[in-house]
DNA sequence: CTGAAAGCGCTTACAG
DNA sequence: CTGAAAGCGCTTACAG
């Protein structure tokens, strides 16, 4: 049956002995050095095969003081947007046979610190980080002081002075709002998201810019922030329906919120896309499945992933290169959820009392 | 500004020198040994702080010939079912401050081999593997020969002789089918999935068992297999509608397929839950959002994740323990998609020609 | 073309 | 309570 005794892994020394050469010869074979004649090479390789040799990369890294590891810290694996970024990262890495140390913070600053420390102890060459709100320059410095590279993914923080890849949130917020304005809406709410985050500020800025350009008033009571998971959409809808002067259109901070919001509206017998226009942000695949389909501003999560890896590689290769911030252009995807009612809110108030 | 020169990380030796002690004292402090008096301890700790010492875990692992790393290989980050398993794994790991080497195979056997090799070179203590179809005993042996543990997650392979965690597919298939039979259906199709996989065989077995117990015929033309991504649902629907004697209910291999299938039906003006009853398998969150809501057999992805980690830990601690296979009980979640037509297929044939 | 030796940063007996 | 020394598996000059 199976041999459960934990056998010691075979070393280069043993291979060398078996093949009747010195250890340095084994290394040279492993490195594909052309100075080793074919016969010796074959002998060494077949010894490796026979003994089941597996290279010890940790030992090599210690000796050469360089590492093959990269780190990846995401906030929450359940967010489909992050899953897609993950695909981009993984497919870019797979091509080079690279491998990644991986952890999730679940939006906890303590977890993030713990993960960064742990990765640095493993001497990663760089870390791709979806920063938790509250991340400071000190977190980044900790990484850089060990000579590792840091790339911020998805959430931008100019004040952290490191490479970043993000979506043009201002532009995106503006596109979403302009789309609603073109649909005849004049009272448009901006819902969800944390005001501390650069992302939120960007989307809000775009939202306000579109309103101002259209000569519409910016009403602070129409901006209601809060967290950003699907469940929070329900709470946001509750608060919107409490307003005395209801909006006719809702621009949600992200798709997850928008979907949660649409579910809540349906429970109140308000039909998204008919009674209220809805727009989200992210372009997650579920938006297409929902009824009505969710109009959204799509950033390019896969592209974000592949570019994050590339940024990290560039930084590792050339630590002195000037800082780079890649800003991906978003794209408006119009579906049924934004074709909603353009009349005055009277009708909607009536509807909402139907329960 | 930022110092871009790649400074050498501080070593224990330097800390020892700075604190005026020997290197072994530094190690003892790091290990929290009680034999070091408080004053010395403080001195060493403040030197570490001052110099910015970061423990080199790789060096320690080399010396002690033991590793703190675990490996995780999933097939495809886009499948929401896997995202949820990931959550379970990550939250279980986070509690112990553990960290994971991570890779995605995208269902490629070559990638899987590459990832396993790479992880073994990093001397992981064990690997959690969502095995790609075609995985052989040799893959597992390769892991075990290095003294690492292997746990198969989600897809069961009894012939691979290692710890496994999976869902009771037979039971699940039976539950789904019995639910449809109770709804009055007599022609029920089983759609999608690869017959090579244990998972597929299990679900099909349950499907057939339910039919036989109800005294219904098992019609091979109603079993159409194929891949299992959302897009493949369209093709399956096309093939179903080509049958001369149409089924009234469709049991899909998984939820992704079922959702794809429902989208395809809608395009043909066939309403899932009215013209045809649909049941899926997995219990992914989107199933609830779709209109109609998807009836499904829910396995417990998060539980699967946490248990995978526990299995791996147990195996690492006690390599001689007898093999364990955890089989999670599935649960039927009834939504609107399965309330479909129970009449004879005549009506549906008529409908389908509406285009 | 191949070998002997030093050293990467750590831990672990072993002395004292 | 603390230090000197050996060694984990590898790579890299340096000889020959």
């Amino acid at each position: 049956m199976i041999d459960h005794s934990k056998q010691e892994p075979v070393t280069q020394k043993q291979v060398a002995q078996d093949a009747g050469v010195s250890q340095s010869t084994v290394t040279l074979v492993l490195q594909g050095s052309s100075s080793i004649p074919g016969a010796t090479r074959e002998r060494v390789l077949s010894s490796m095969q026979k003994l089941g040799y597996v290279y010890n990369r940790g030992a090599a890294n210690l000796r050469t003081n360089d590492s093959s590891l990269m780190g990846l810290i995401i906030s929450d694996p359940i967010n489909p947007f992050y899953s897609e970024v993950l695909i981009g990262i993984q497919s870019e890495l797979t091509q080079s046979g690279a491998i990644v140390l991986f952890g999730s913070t679940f939006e906890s600053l303590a977890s993030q610190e713990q993960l960064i420390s742990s990765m640095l102890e493993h001497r990663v060459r760089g870390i791709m980080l979806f920063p938790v709100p509250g991340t400071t320059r000190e977190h980044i410095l900790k990484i850089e002081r060990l000579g590792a590279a840091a790339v911020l993914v998805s959430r931008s923080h100019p004040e952290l002075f490191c490479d970043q890849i993000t979506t043009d949130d201002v532009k995106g917020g503006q596109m979403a709002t302009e789309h609603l304005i073109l649909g005849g809406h004049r009272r448009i709410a901006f819902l969800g998201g944390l005001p501390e985050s650069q992302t939120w500020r960007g989307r809000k800025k775009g939202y306000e810019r579109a309103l101002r350009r259209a000569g519409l008033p910016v009403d602070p009571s129409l901006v209601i922030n809060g967290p950003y998971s699907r469940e929070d959409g329900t709470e946001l809808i509750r608060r919107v329906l409490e307003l005395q002067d209801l909006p006719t259109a809702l621009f949600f901070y992200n798709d997850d919120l928008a979907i949660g919001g649409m579910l809540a509206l349906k429970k109140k017998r308000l039909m998204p896309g008919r009674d209220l226009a809805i727009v989200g942000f992210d372009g997650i695949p579920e938006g297409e499945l929902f009824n009505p389909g969710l109009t959204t501003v799509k950033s390019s999560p896969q592209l974000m992933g592949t570019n994050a890896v590339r940024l990290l590689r560039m930084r590792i290769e050339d630590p002195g290169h000037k800082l780079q911030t890649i800003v991906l252009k978003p794209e408006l995807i119009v579906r049924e959820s934004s074709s909603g009612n353009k009349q005055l809110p009277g009708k909607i108030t009536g509807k909402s009392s139907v329960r």
Side-chain angles (χ1 to χ4, degrees), chain A residues 156-323:
Chain A
S156 160
H157 286 259
E159 77 282 11
L160 297 184
F161 301 111
C162 62
D163 292 321
Q164 328 216 346
I165 177 151
T166 182
T167 305
D168 190 336
D169 290 301
V170 179
K171 183 88 185 165
Q174 188 179 342
M175 288 162 72
T177 312
E178 281 171 352
H179 168 67
L180 291 167
I181 294 173
L182 276 174
H185 295 277
R186 305 188 64 79
R187 279 188 69 72
I188 302 170
F190 176 51
L191 302 177
L194 301 174
E196 301 88 274
S197 82
Q198 191 67 24
T199 312
W200 185 86
R201 286 199 290 261
R203 291 175 193 177
K204 172 152 170 285
K205 190 170 170 185
Y207 158 78
E208 290 179 345
R209 179 182 293 172
L211 291 177
R212 266 186 275 100
R213 290 206 179 162
L216 293 172
V218 175
D219 179 350
S221 75
L222 290 179
V223 176
I224 309 178
N225 45 264
Y228 38 81
S229 74
R230 193 162 287 175
E231 297 73 42
D232 304 312
T234 308
E235 167 65 9
L236 286 169
I237 289 300
R238 201 187 56 70
R239 292 185 54 192
V240 164
L241 295 179
E242 275 173 359
L243 295 171
Q244 57 277 70
D245 191 3
L246 285 182
T248 62
L250 311 178
F251 169 32
F252 281 92
Y253 172 74
N254 72 16
D255 284 352
D256 255 10
L257 277 172
I259 287 178
M262 293 204 290
L263 284 170
L265 284 173
K266 281 182 156 185
K267 281 203 182 130
K268 303 240 177 224
R269 298 272 184 279
L270 286 166
M271 189 60 181
R274 192 192 62 194
D275 301 321
L276 248 84
I278 309 281
V279 177
F281 203 114
D282 274 354
I284 66 175
E286 288 92 315
E288 193 175 354
L289 300 178
F290 198 83
N291 186 18
L294 176 62
T295 294
T296 188
V297 176
K298 181 171 163 51
S299 29
S300 317
Q302 296 208 22
L303 218 55
M304 191 173 278
T306 51
N307 277 292
V309 176
R310 284 182 199 150
L311 270 181
L312 195 62
R313 286 214 184 102
M314 285 173 64
R315 175 62 53 201
I316 288 169
E317 275 163 31
D318 179 9
H321 197 282
K322 75 175 203 302
L323 294 183

Side-chain angles (χ1 to χ4, degrees), chain A residues 73 104-118 132-135 139 142:
Chain A
I73 301 181
S104 310
T105 59
F106 297 105
E107 306 291 7
S108 144
L109 207 52
S111 288
Q112 177 172 294
E113 285 171 9
Q114 159 80 43
L115 284 167
I116 290 177
S117 295
S118 185
V132 166
T135 303
H139 291 97
K142 196 171 159 193

